[in-house]
Amino acid sequence: MKPTPVRRIVWVIAIVVALGLLMAALAQAQPAQSLPVASDPAPVPVKVTDDRGRVVTLPRPPRRVVSLLPSLTETVCALDQCHRLVGVDRHSNWPQAVLHLPQLGGGLDPNIEAIVALQPDVVLLATSSRATARLESLGVAVVALEPKSHADVQRVMGTIGEVLAVPDAQRVWRHVDAAVEAAAQSVPVAARGVRVYFEVNRGPYGAGASSFIGETLTRLGARNILPASLGPFPRLNPEFVVRADPDLIMLGEGSMGSLHERPGWSSLRAVREQRLCVFAPHEADVLVRAGPRMAEGARIMARCLASKATPAANTAAAVRP
């Protein structure tokens, strides 16, 4: 049976529509095939000078970072880059995000095999670390940094910012500096001029006037019994402190146990009159790390000065050279 004119028209329309759809599909597919494939932008190399004076060049900002110094670990995290850390030293315990990371020993006994196994793009460590030469001999990039003063902390924050390609890393230092100044404003007038001995650990090692701790004490209005000429963290003969007879002693719980066993220390006025600030381990961690928590450390020392300084101590400080 021959198709009716109506059927013939429907068939023609159907064929035309099908051809139109096919041509549209081909028109859409053709440009896609002719477009060039986009390529990733070329990585931008990173070049920094570390505290050894060595120029360290990385092919790109590191994605896998190992930190072997707590203050450097804390700085990486303060720059919002904790996610790049793949391993830390055993003493790195802040912020909480680093607690689940592999612990790789300490500065004096680093686990080289475990570090290399993590395939880090860079290792951040202290200039005094024993890991540097061995890691470099194995082809691992190392940036050695050693913050000891306020200026060092500011510079190190900038260097780590450069390594990680973080813009305006100095914003962290500006916050720290402003908070230290605020802590200084909170110290009462009666506490200013008080002579302080700050013990870093039971060596005894003290915090000298040129250390970041000593500089913070100065900003808080205290007087450090350890002059800058002794260096940032000198090991002391215990008799030095006896002769200096400080008005106030700051130390950690770990040092407190041996305090009365030291010759002559029981006769110190600060000991007799209990002008001692004994810091819990978590406070001591904050105080002895030259990093982004220095502001918190300043507040801890300011509270100590406010609570332990007395008019008698201030008077004694005024008549001493």
Side-chain angles (χ1 to χ4, degrees):
M1 182 176 64
K2 294 183 178 180
T4 65
V6 174
R7 289 182 177 178
R8 190 176 296 121
I9 293 171
V10 171
W11 277 105
V12 170
I13 292 173
I15 292 170
V16 170
V17 170
L19 288 172
L21 292 175
L22 179 60
M23 292 176 66
L26 290 173
Q28 291 178 350
Q30 185 64 30
Q33 294 174 356
S34 61
L35 287 175
V37 178
S39 59
D40 293 333
V44 178
V46 172
K47 181 181 292 187
V48 298
T49 302
D50 69 7
D51 286 357
R52 301 170 296 169
R54 300 275 187 90
V55 176
V56 181
T57 302
L58 306 174
R60 60 180 59 81
R63 296 178 180 177
R64 299 178 61 81
V65 178
V66 164
S67 172
L68 298 181
L69 189 65
S71 62
L72 303 182
T73 301
E74 296 181 10
T75 298
V76 170
C77 291
L79 294 172
D80 299 323
Q81 301 302 312
C82 246
H83 59 278
R84 300 202 207 186
L85 291 170
V86 295
V88 295
D89 67 288
R90 71 166 65 91
H91 302 294
S92 288
N93 55 8
W94 187 92
Q96 191 170 5
V98 308
L99 296 179
H100 72 280
L101 294 173
Q103 293 187 355
L104 306 168
L108 298 179
D109 58 344
N111 188 332
I112 300 296
E113 292 76 13
I115 295 170
V116 173
L118 289 172
Q119 299 181 321
D121 299 316
V122 69
V123 175
L124 306 175
L125 42 64
T127 56
S128 57
S129 175
R130 295 177 179 174
T132 303
R134 180 64 175 148
L135 288 171
E136 289 183 328
S137 71
L138 294 171
V140 178
V142 170
V143 174
L145 302 165
E146 194 90 26
K148 294 181 179 179
S149 67
H150 283 200
D152 289 340
V153 174
Q154 181 179 9
R155 175 180 46 74
V156 166
M157 286 180 178
T159 301
I160 293 179
E162 291 178 30
V163 170
L164 301 178
V166 174
D168 194 23
Q170 290 299 331
R171 71 184 186 277
V172 177
W173 170 254
R174 290 194 295 270
H175 171 77
V176 170
D177 189 52
V180 171
E181 187 59 31
Q185 297 300 318
S186 73
V187 177
V189 174
R192 297 187 178 275
V194 170
R195 300 171 67 256
V196 175
Y197 167 61
F198 189 108
E199 183 161 299
V200 178
N201 63 42
R202 58 188 298 175
Y205 288 89
S210 63
S211 69
F212 71 95
I213 296 172
E215 290 175 341
T216 298
L217 284 171
T218 298
R219 291 183 65 173
L220 296 176
R223 297 173 60 193
N224 196 327
I225 68 165
L226 303 184
S229 60
L230 292 180
F233 300 105
R235 183 169 187 173
L236 302 170
N237 184 326
E239 292 182 4
F240 180 97
V241 181
V242 174
R243 292 194 300 270
D245 196 17
D247 304 310
L248 175 63
I249 296 175
M250 300 182 183
L251 73 170
E253 288 181 0
S255 295
M256 188 61 189
S258 64
L259 197 68
H260 293 279
E261 300 173 4
R262 302 176 188 180
W265 280 51
S266 296
S267 65
L268 291 172
R269 287 181 307 106
V271 175
R272 294 198 318 268
E273 299 172 14
Q274 291 300 297
R275 286 200 296 276
L276 305 169
C277 289
V278 183
F279 304 119
H282 70 278
E283 293 176 311
D285 282 349
V286 172
L287 288 163
V288 301
R289 293 178 182 176
R293 291 198 289 169
M294 281 173 47
E296 184 179 347
R299 290 190 287 269
I300 292 171
M301 287 190 277
R303 289 196 296 268
C304 168
L305 289 168
S307 64
K308 294 296 183 178
T310 65
N314 196 51
T315 301
V319 299
R320 288 170 181 262

